[in-house]
Amino acid sequence: MKRELALEFARVTEAAALAAEKWVGRGDKIAADQAAVDAMRTVLNQLNIAGEIVIGEGEIDEAPMLYIGEKVGKKIENGSSEILTNVDIAVDPVEGTRMTALGQGNAIAVLAVANKGSFLKAPDMYMEKLVVCPEARGKVSLKNTLIENITIVAKELNKKITDITIVILDKPRHKELIKELQEKKIKVYALPDGDVAGSILSCVIDSEVDMLYGIGGAPEGVISAAVIKALGGDMEGRLILRNEVKGHSQENDRIALSEKERCEELGLKVGEILEMKDLVKDDEVIFSATGITSGDLLQGVKRKGNIATTQTLLVRGKTRTIRYINAVHNLDYKKEIGAK
């Protein structure tokens, strides 16, 4: 993949964040998501790529969202000698739609890109996830208990287990687990939403977070795996049916059956441990995230009149280069976000 494409992909998440910012605190997460999707699609279609969305907002019948299977990138005119780069794309135009709608922190616009066939095509279902810092790469496993994995990470970092900081989503399904860890004096950072941001925090040098564990969305799990691979960390995942997370009911059982059938179509086994090589095959990953609202990872969009600032995390897996890009935008010239 051409190196110069990395900065182009940063433009994509910047546009999504700028578009979503208009809806911060306005209580309409659907409008925020749609604005980000529209901006993201517009910029993707300006790039010299032949891209396919493999992790997106749903299947083809969910259009006009960025749906799974959608083709994006510059259209080649008949007779042109221009060659486009073939890539697979994983997107989450607004990771943290609820946080955006409520004006809460840690909402980001996210995109990961790799060569064709690199990403696991994960169904829209639950995934159990374990993410660790680079020092513990290859040492932990979902076969172990969480306490065993925390002990391993502590050993690799030369820390006491009571000095380990672990991110867990603050959801009812994790309530007892969080309580158990806190009783053992282990530091839990409970995020209301956003396990992609939580995953990144476990691997960046200026964060106190050492690992992440929990059950969240499978598509977000693949996006997390892309950036964790690029950052040199490690991750395992395991697909889980809805009725195993939310309990048996007629509706949950119906959804679980559909999830199981979808996994069979894709050649995936529910409950089987997926290692990093299963989640992301290629080292040549480019990951970009731009802050929508300020949080632990990135500053959110700040706006004064028609001038706005953004902060973007850009990671190139091939060289493990990490860039923080602070940009100033004149919104009068941003057609992709609806400027006049």
Side-chain angles (χ1 to χ4, degrees):
M1 204 185 318
K2 296 178 180 178
R3 180 173 57 185
E4 56 267 28
L5 279 174
L7 289 176
E8 294 296 306
F9 291 130
R11 287 180 51 228
V12 177
T13 57
E14 285 175 349
L18 288 166
E21 184 273 338
K22 296 178 181 179
W23 295 96
V24 169
R26 299 184 186 276
D28 193 339
K29 65 181 185 180
I30 294 175
D33 200 31
Q34 186 66 67
V37 165
D38 292 343
M40 191 171 270
R41 177 185 283 117
T42 297
V43 180
L44 281 170
N45 284 332
Q46 296 171 1
L47 305 187
N48 291 325
I49 59 171
E52 179 179 352
I53 305 297
V54 296
I55 298 290
E57 299 280 293
E59 304 290 348
I60 191 167
D61 59 347
E62 294 296 324
M65 311 308 277
L66 278 162
Y67 59 84
I68 296 170
E70 181 174 352
K71 301 296 192 294
V72 295
K74 191 174 181 180
K75 304 295 187 292
I76 291 292
E77 301 294 334
N78 291 336
S80 173
S81 60
E82 190 172 7
I83 299 175
L84 303 183
T85 303
N86 286 294
V87 292
D88 281 348
I89 303 172
V91 298
D92 196 346
V94 180
E95 202 224 3
T97 53
R98 187 173 68 89
M99 295 183 293
T100 300
L102 296 175
Q104 297 174 342
N106 283 314
I108 57 177
V110 175
L111 172 144
V113 185
N115 290 317
K116 204 72 177 168
S118 295
F119 294 139
L120 176 79
K121 293 187 176 181
D124 189 3
M125 59 188 294
Y126 283 109
M127 178 186 283
E128 181 183 16
K129 308 166 194 177
L130 175 65
V131 177
V132 295
C133 54
E135 292 86 349
R137 186 173 64 245
K139 305 291 185 180
V140 299
S141 174
L142 285 172
K143 296 176 183 176
N144 303 331
T145 67
L146 181 56
I147 293 298
E148 287 172 340
N149 284 321
I150 291 173
T151 302
I152 291 168
V153 172
K155 180 181 177 182
E156 296 302 318
L157 293 173
N158 196 27
K159 289 183 176 182
K160 299 175 182 178
I161 66 166
T162 52
D163 292 330
I164 291 294
T165 300
I166 180 169
V167 169
I168 300 178
L169 290 184
D170 188 11
K171 302 292 185 183
R173 58 184 174 269
H174 297 140
K175 183 178 179 181
E176 291 302 316
L177 175 61
I178 291 171
K179 181 180 178 182
E180 177 188 344
L181 294 176
Q182 289 174 336
E183 286 175 349
K184 294 180 183 295
K185 309 300 181 186
I186 293 169
K187 294 191 287 185
V188 176
Y189 184 18
L191 284 178
D193 288 296
D195 54 357
V196 174
S199 297
I200 297 169
L201 287 172
S202 70
C203 290
V204 291
I205 194 168
D206 53 351
S207 166
E208 294 181 358
V209 174
D210 303 303
M211 57 192 298
L212 171 142
Y213 174 81
I215 297 171
E220 291 85 354
V222 176
I223 296 174
S224 294
V227 64
I228 295 308
K229 188 178 183 73
L231 290 170
D234 203 3
M235 175 175 172
E236 285 189 350
R238 180 158 45 197
L239 296 172
I240 300 177
L241 299 176
R242 182 185 179 92
N243 57 8
E244 295 175 9
V245 176
K246 295 199 170 182
H248 289 277
S249 70
Q250 188 174 5
E251 178 65 11
N252 288 342
D253 289 345
R254 182 190 65 79
I255 294 172
L257 179 60
S258 175
E259 291 170 342
K260 188 174 181 181
E261 291 172 349
R262 183 70 172 129
C263 285
E264 290 172 354
E265 289 174 6
L266 295 170
L268 300 171
K269 292 183 179 180
V270 175
E272 184 175 72
I273 292 177
L274 300 165
E275 299 178 355
M276 180 64 85
K277 61 182 176 60
D278 303 311
L279 297 165
V280 182
K281 296 180 175 64
D282 191 9
D283 287 330
E284 199 171 348
V285 174
I286 293 173
F287 175 87
S288 180
T290 301
I292 299 171
T293 59
S294 294
D296 303 276
L297 182 64
L298 291 164
Q299 289 294 313
V301 177
K302 292 182 172 61
R303 182 171 176 173
K304 188 172 183 179
N306 284 336
I307 302 299
T309 61
T310 57
Q311 186 175 53
T312 298
L313 170 69
L314 182 64
V315 185
R316 187 165 176 250
K318 187 175 182 179
T319 58
R320 295 201 179 160
T321 303
I322 303 169
R323 290 183 172 89
Y324 286 91
I325 302 173
N326 295 307
V328 180
H329 309 266
N330 187 321
L331 301 183
D332 288 335
Y333 295 89
K334 294 286 181 179
K335 293 181 180 179
E336 61 271 20
I337 64 166
K340 301 298 183 182

